[in-house]
């Protein structure tokens, strides 16, 4: 990746908190215009990495560049928009005043700031409530407003730390479609999430991070295909079935009960599907649904992070 | 981008932060209580029932109100923002730490100058004359800025509880008022009392006010002004250096 193509470059980044390694010698690069995901469980180091890149904290070792400038410098911050994980807008200001404040802090000219604010609030579905105090907004409205505050400066790079966390389905969908739209317009997006589906749907590439270390970086599809032994057959019956009985079927490696369905992991999903049909007939059961599933990103995550921690 | 352009931008952004602080914090309970009500009632407690001449009371009243009001906003902004989870967003903006501090100091400064007009007007209506209004205005402006920077120093401990910061501020403000010649002019204090008074920035403003209103200052005006400038520089340096260490621990 050449320097001109790179929006974010991280080399040997390390950060400790009271002796605990929150980020452990990580390296990655994000291309301009890419939608890059940082996927990992709580405490993996995602937010710490974002805070270093947005200049809120400094690393103990290593380098981080945003659009060629040192992360945390005024130049880097000027081209970045940020939605922190635990962020609120100013509750005692109106939605409009919140967005205009951000415009002032990025030195957007007053006339242009007003035009952009109006367009943004309209796109976010907040124009009608722009003069209401933010304390009267719902959670989804607040999150959309915070996204608007990040976009007012028309940033080249957007840092989104768990942007849909805690939102209802509708609000989450709206935020995701907005993010996709931004990326379609050429913005570089750095997204952290612990939601596998979100990473799978949105990201061009995903870095899986666990306990401060990057375990893998690749496109979601390639990560899924690269993992073996996580093919599965998902079946649901009209009556409940003992998971022990299902586990004893030939070529079944593992059984998980997920709601009213059973997911059986196997190396030979086609053979297992036939086995399940025969089993249901012999046990007097009726199959409601039967699907052969390719490894999900969640499966890839579990496989890769299990290998990394040595618990094979 | 040249350094001059960057400095101009940062100053403009400091004013934006100050405007935000004015909108959000001026009407907050702790500001009204600790900044306005407390000095008023403290003053009344010491003066009601005692027939003191206006030109003896008013310099102390102006000094005390200016001190309390100018130190009331700047301490609570950072803890309040950390608690409300708006601070990280602000720190990610293209503003230096010094800009954030300057913005908070400006908000406190404006509050102090604005409210202190009230006792000055009361004094003028009671017949107090100010010998040199221009020098007095300069003193008010300089003292308000000095006290506002002191207020910012109170917020250095990385607590996210405004109540804790108010406790620290009260623990400093009340003793300072009593040692600074507010209730007893410096000339009437014992020598050891005068020596203690010299460590308080409020002493120097009160001395200027007494000099210009009562015609009786303890120190030359130049010394008073230089002391206020010196305290301001020290408070600013301390605030910038120590906030740099404690800011990341707030989020």
């Amino acid at each position: 990746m050449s320097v001109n193509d790179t929006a974010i470059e991280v080399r040997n980044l390390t950060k400790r908190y009271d002796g605990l390694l929150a980020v452990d010698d990580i390296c990655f690069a994000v291309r301009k215009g890419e939608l890059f995901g940082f996927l990992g469980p709580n405490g993996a180091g995602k937010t710490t990495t974002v805070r270093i890149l947005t200049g809120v904290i400094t690393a103990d070792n290593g380098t981080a560049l945003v659009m060629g400038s040192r992360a945390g410098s005024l130049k880097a911050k000027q081209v970045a928009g940020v939605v922190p994980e635990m962020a609120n807008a100013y509750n005692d200001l109106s939605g409009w005043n919140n967005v205009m404040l951000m415009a002032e802090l990025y030195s957007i000219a007053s006339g242009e700031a007003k035009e952009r604010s109006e367009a943004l609030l309209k796109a976010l579905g907040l124009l009608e409530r722009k003069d209401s105090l933010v304390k009267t907004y719902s959670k989804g409205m607040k999150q959309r407003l915070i996204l608007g505050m990040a976009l007012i400066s028309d940033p080249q790079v957007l840092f989104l730390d768990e942007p849909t966390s805690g939102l209802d389905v509708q609000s989450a969908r709206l935020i995701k479609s907005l993010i996709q739209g931004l990326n379609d317009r050429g913005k570089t997006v750095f997204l952290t999430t612990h939601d596998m589906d979100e990473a799978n749907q949105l990201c061009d590439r995903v870095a899986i991070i666990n306990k401060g270390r990057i375990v893998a970086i690749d496109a979601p599809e390639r990560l899924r295909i690269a993992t073996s032994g996580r093919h599965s057959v998902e079946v649901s019956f009209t009556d409940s079935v003992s998971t022990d009985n299902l586990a004893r079927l030939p070529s079944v490696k593992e059984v998980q009960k997920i709601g009213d369905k059973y997911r059986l992991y196997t190396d030979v999903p086609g053979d297992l599907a036939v086995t399940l049909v025969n089993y249901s007939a012999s046990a007097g059961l009726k199959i409601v649904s039967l699907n052969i599933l390719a490894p999900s990103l969640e499966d890839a995550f579990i496989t890769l992070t299990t290998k990394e921690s040595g618990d094979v | 981008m040249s350094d001059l352009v960057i400095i101009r931008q940062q100053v403009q952004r400091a004013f934006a932060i100050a405007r935000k602080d004015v909108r959000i914090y001026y009407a907050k309970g702790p500001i009204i209580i600790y900044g306005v009500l407390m000095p008023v009632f403290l003053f009344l407690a010491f003066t009601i029932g005692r027939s003191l001449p206006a030109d003896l009371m008013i310099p102390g009243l102006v000094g005390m109100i200016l001190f309390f009001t100018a130190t009331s906003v700047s301490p609570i902004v950072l803890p309040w923002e950390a608690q409300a989870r708006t601070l990280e967003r602000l720190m990610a903006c293209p503003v230096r730490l010094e800009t954030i501090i300057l913005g908070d100091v400006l908000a406190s400064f404006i509050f102090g100058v604005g409210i202190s007009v009230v006792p000055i007007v009361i004094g003028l209506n009671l017949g107090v004359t100010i010998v040199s209004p221009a020098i007095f205005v300069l003193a008010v402006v300089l003292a308000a800025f000095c006290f506002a920077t002191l207020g910012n120093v109170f917020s250095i401990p990385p607590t996210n509880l405004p109540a804790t910061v108010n406790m620290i501020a009260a623990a400093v403000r009340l003793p300072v008022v009593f040692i600074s010649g507010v209730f007893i002019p410096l000339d009437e204090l014992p020598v050891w009392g005068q020596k203690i008074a010299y460590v308080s920035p409020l002493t120097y403003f009160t001395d200027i006010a007494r000099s210009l209103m009562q015609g009786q200052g303890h120190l030359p005006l130049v010394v008073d002004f230089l002391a206020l400038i010196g305290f301001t520089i020290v408070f600013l340096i301390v605030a910038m250096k120590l906030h740099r260490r404690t800011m990341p621990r707030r989020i």
Side-chain angles (χ1 to χ4, degrees):
Chain A
M1 210 182 288
S2 74
V3 169
N4 288 337
D5 294 333
T6 309
I8 301 167
E9 189 178 347
V10 167
R11 285 190 194 174
N12 307 112
L13 207 66
T14 303
K15 179 70 183 175
R16 284 181 189 78
Y17 286 111
D18 297 326
L20 178 73
L21 263 178
V23 172
D24 184 3
D25 195 36
I26 63 171
C27 301
F28 64 88
V30 179
R31 281 188 298 270
K32 286 179 185 170
E34 189 174 20
L35 208 164
F36 188 86
F38 225 49
L39 178 66
N42 294 332
K46 307 187 297 294
T47 294
T48 302
T49 305
V50 169
R51 283 177 172 169
I52 294 171
L53 291 171
T54 55
V56 171
I57 59 175
T58 52
D60 294 325
N61 283 308
T63 58
L65 299 176
V66 176
M67 298 302 284
S69 301
R70 181 184 55 82
S73 65
L74 288 179
K75 268 181 100 174
K77 287 182 177 184
Q78 186 68 37
V79 299
V82 184
V83 176
E85 181 187 8
M86 313 266 262
N88 290 327
Y90 291 99
N91 276 341
D92 295 314
L93 298 181
S94 65
W96 178 263
N97 284 336
N98 268 280
V99 179
M100 290 301 286
L101 170 64
M102 287 298 122
E104 284 184 287
L105 294 178
Y106 281 81
S107 297
I108 311 295
S110 170
E112 193 179 344
K114 283 179 184 158
E115 273 178 31
R116 283 194 202 175
S117 299
E118 221 171 285
L120 266 172
L121 290 174
K122 191 173 177 186
L124 293 163
L126 296 172
L127 192 62
E128 280 182 8
R129 296 287 306 277
K130 69 176 177 67
D131 295 320
S132 304
L133 294 182
V134 171
K135 64 173 102 176
T136 65
Y137 285 15
S138 68
K139 187 170 165 65
M141 289 170 72
K142 285 180 185 177
Q143 193 67 357
R144 280 182 269 146
L145 177 66
I146 292 166
L147 183 59
M149 290 163 72
L151 294 174
I152 188 66
S153 62
D154 194 24
Q156 294 174 52
V157 182
L158 207 48
F159 292 96
L160 306 173
D161 196 355
E162 310 254 10
T164 60
S165 177
L167 294 182
D168 59 76
V169 169
Q170 219 167 347
S171 295
R173 262 196 195 175
L174 175 59
I175 298 275
K176 282 185 217 175
S177 92
L178 287 167
I179 293 170
Q180 191 62 67
L182 290 165
N183 185 240
D184 290 344
R185 292 205 298 277
K187 302 246 179 269
T188 307
V189 179
F190 185 93
L191 169 78
T192 76
T193 182
H194 61 262
D195 185 326
M196 313 289 167
D197 285 338
E198 188 170 282
N200 195 34
Q201 282 166 27
L202 292 176
C203 299
D204 297 319
R205 281 191 307 149
V206 167
I208 294 180
I209 182 168
N210 190 35
K211 295 179 187 172
R213 295 194 68 91
I214 288 185
V215 171
I217 304 180
D218 214 330
E221 277 305 307
R222 281 200 283 272
L223 283 174
R224 283 170 39 174
I225 292 165
T227 58
S228 60
R230 297 302 288 182
H231 288 84
S232 58
V233 178
E234 191 179 78
V235 61
S236 67
F237 301 98
T238 48
D239 300 310
S240 75
V241 174
S242 159
T243 50
D244 289 339
N245 289 343
L246 291 174
R248 281 194 280 269
L249 292 173
S251 67
V252 171
K253 295 166 98 172
E254 185 190 336
V255 178
Q256 281 178 13
K257 190 171 186 301
I258 303 167
D260 63 341
K261 299 177 195 48
Y262 300 87
R263 194 175 286 185
L264 289 72
Y265 288 91
T266 178
D267 289 331
V268 283
D271 291 350
L272 181 56
V274 173
T275 304
L276 277 167
V277 169
N278 295 335
Y279 168 76
S280 68
S282 65
L285 297 166
K286 272 198 179 154
I287 291 176
V288 174
S289 66
L290 181 71
N291 294 298
I292 293 177
L293 305 176
S296 65
L297 193 56
E298 183 174 347
D299 297 323
F301 176 83
I302 291 169
T303 304
L304 289 164
T305 53
T306 304
K307 271 187 193 160
E308 166 72 10
S309 60
D311 301 331
V312 182
Chain B
M1 199 181 283
S2 73
D3 287 345
L4 216 58
V5 171
I6 293 172
I7 290 170
R8 184 173 54 84
Q9 258 185 3
Q10 291 297 305
V11 169
Q12 284 171 341
R13 293 172 189 185
F15 274 97
I17 290 170
R19 276 194 293 277
K20 177 260 297 174
D21 290 345
V22 167
R23 279 177 169 145
I24 295 174
Y25 298 106
Y26 272 20
K28 292 284 185 205
I31 308 262
I32 303 297
I33 292 168
Y34 290 102
V36 180
L37 295 180
M38 191 182 269
V40 167
F41 285 114
L42 204 57
F43 181 79
L44 289 174
F46 274 85
T47 55
I48 282 185
R50 301 166 74 194
S51 305
L52 297 169
D55 62 355
L56 180 65
M57 285 194 302
I58 295 298
L61 177 63
V62 173
M64 192 165 60
I65 286 182
L66 182 61
F67 183 67
F68 270 80
T69 51
T71 56
S72 62
V73 178
S74 48
I76 69 156
V77 176
L78 287 177
W80 205 294
E81 298 231 359
Q83 191 183 60
R85 291 181 180 162
T86 54
L87 184 60
E88 185 175 349
R89 184 68 193 81
L90 186 61
M91 287 165 72
C93 288
V95 290
R96 294 198 162 120
L97 173 64
E98 292 81 5
T99 306
I100 297 175
I101 290 173
L102 180 61
D104 294 344
V105 165
L106 280 171
S108 216
F109 160 79
I110 294 165
F111 191 63
V113 169
I115 301 287
S116 67
V117 167
V118 175
I120 294 169
V121 167
I122 291 174
L124 293 173
N125 280 315
L126 290 175
V128 173
T129 35
I130 301 172
V131 168
S132 178
I135 295 178
F136 185 70
V137 166
L138 183 62
V140 168
V141 166
L142 180 56
F145 196 77
C146 177
F147 301 154
T149 58
L150 172 60
N152 194 260
V153 170
F154 296 151
S155 68
I156 286 171
T159 173
N160 295 344
L161 294 172
T164 304
V165 171
N166 276 324
M167 203 170 62
I168 297 170
V172 173
R173 281 193 203 119
L174 287 172
V176 161
V177 162
F178 285 102
I179 66 167
S180 301
V182 167
F183 298 111
I184 303 170
L186 281 180
D187 284 339
E188 295 174 28
L189 288 174
V191 171
W192 61 264
Q194 288 174 3
K195 287 197 162 80
I196 293 173
Y198 293 150
V199 303
S200 159
L202 177 57
T203 299
Y204 302 94
F205 173 76
T206 310
D207 195 51
I208 294 171
R210 289 203 189 283
S211 186
L212 296 178
M213 289 182 182
Q214 252 182 301
Q216 275 180 356
H218 179 71
L219 297 166
L221 284 178
V222 166
V223 172
D224 289 326
F225 274 98
L226 285 175
L228 283 173
I229 292 168
F231 272 110
T232 305
I233 292 170
V234 167
F235 293 149
L236 270 175
I237 291 171
V238 167
M240 304 292 183
K241 277 194 169 341
L242 295 184
H243 272 301
R244 191 166 296 286
R245 280 197 216 165
T246 60
M247 239 1 188
R249 284 151 59 185
R250 292 182 189 278
I251 49 162

